[in-house]
Amino acid sequence: MRTDLGVKPYKIQLVQELKPNDLPQRRIFSEWALEKLAENPLFYRQILFSDEAHFWLNGYVNKQNCRIWSEEQPEAVQELPMHPEKCTVWCGLYAGGIIGPYFFKDAVGRNVTVNGDRHRSMLTNFLLPKMEELNLVDM
């Protein structure tokens, strides 16, 4: 294909879908943030960014992010269970450091996925007390 047709293989890039109302909302937020920075040049220190990530506990490696460099094609095969155990981890980042990690688990300590109730529980029982402990009252 490369030689005969001059084409190359490409991976599809997945991005979050933007809805019609997203652009005006982004603009409103941007203008609000600029006003806050004009009022207080250190406003950025009052922002907490956060995210969650999933980690597979069976050694699974995302083959899209893994390359084996070799002179010959390796005949590597990895058998995986149909539904491998994984854990979801939350972490927050602010100007003064990192808050977390927080591992989402049920009452008996098993790894669970995130839903609205579990996220709210993490905010109430982990993040807010940690922010009080760190004296982050203006966040």
Side-chain angles (χ1 to χ4, degrees):
M1 297 282 283
R2 287 179 196 251
T3 306
D4 294 340
L5 300 176
V7 295
K8 299 181 238 173
Y10 293 96
K11 291 181 188 173
I12 293 174
Q13 181 179 0
L14 303 176
V15 297
Q16 185 171 345
E17 175 187 14
L18 293 176
K19 304 283 186 185
N21 197 34
D22 290 339
L23 185 60
Q25 290 293 79
R26 286 178 169 204
R27 184 175 190 96
I28 290 167
F29 173 80
S30 299
E31 290 169 353
W32 172 83
L34 286 172
E35 286 174 20
K36 289 292 191 182
L37 278 168
E39 294 169 16
N40 176 6
L42 298 179
F43 171 69
Y44 68 92
R45 293 176 160 239
Q46 299 173 312
I47 300 172
L48 174 75
F49 296 96
S50 70
D51 201 2
E52 295 120 21
H54 306 288
F55 295 92
W56 281 263
L57 304 179
N58 66 345
Y60 168 77
V61 176
N62 182 348
K63 67 181 182 178
Q64 299 300 323
N65 298 329
C66 179
R67 300 291 182 260
I68 298 173
W69 293 89
S70 175
E71 293 178 4
E72 296 180 20
Q73 169 72 30
E75 298 301 324
V77 175
Q78 183 181 12
E79 290 185 9
L80 299 171
M82 180 76 75
H83 303 287
E85 186 179 2
K86 62 183 175 181
C87 69
T88 302
V89 183
W90 175 94
C91 195
L93 177 70
Y94 71 107
I98 297 172
I99 298 177
Y102 177 87
F103 295 86
F104 285 90
K105 296 185 177 287
D106 64 11
V108 294
R110 290 180 301 215
N111 296 312
V112 293
T113 56
V114 182
N115 62 23
D117 290 336
R118 291 181 182 131
H119 197 266
R120 188 178 309 106
S121 176
M122 180 275 297
L123 293 173
T124 304
N125 300 319
F126 175 75
L127 179 59
L128 293 177
K130 186 57 107 171
M131 289 175 68
E132 277 185 34
E133 176 186 319
L134 296 170
N135 198 27
L136 300 176
V137 293
D138 293 335
M139 297 297 280

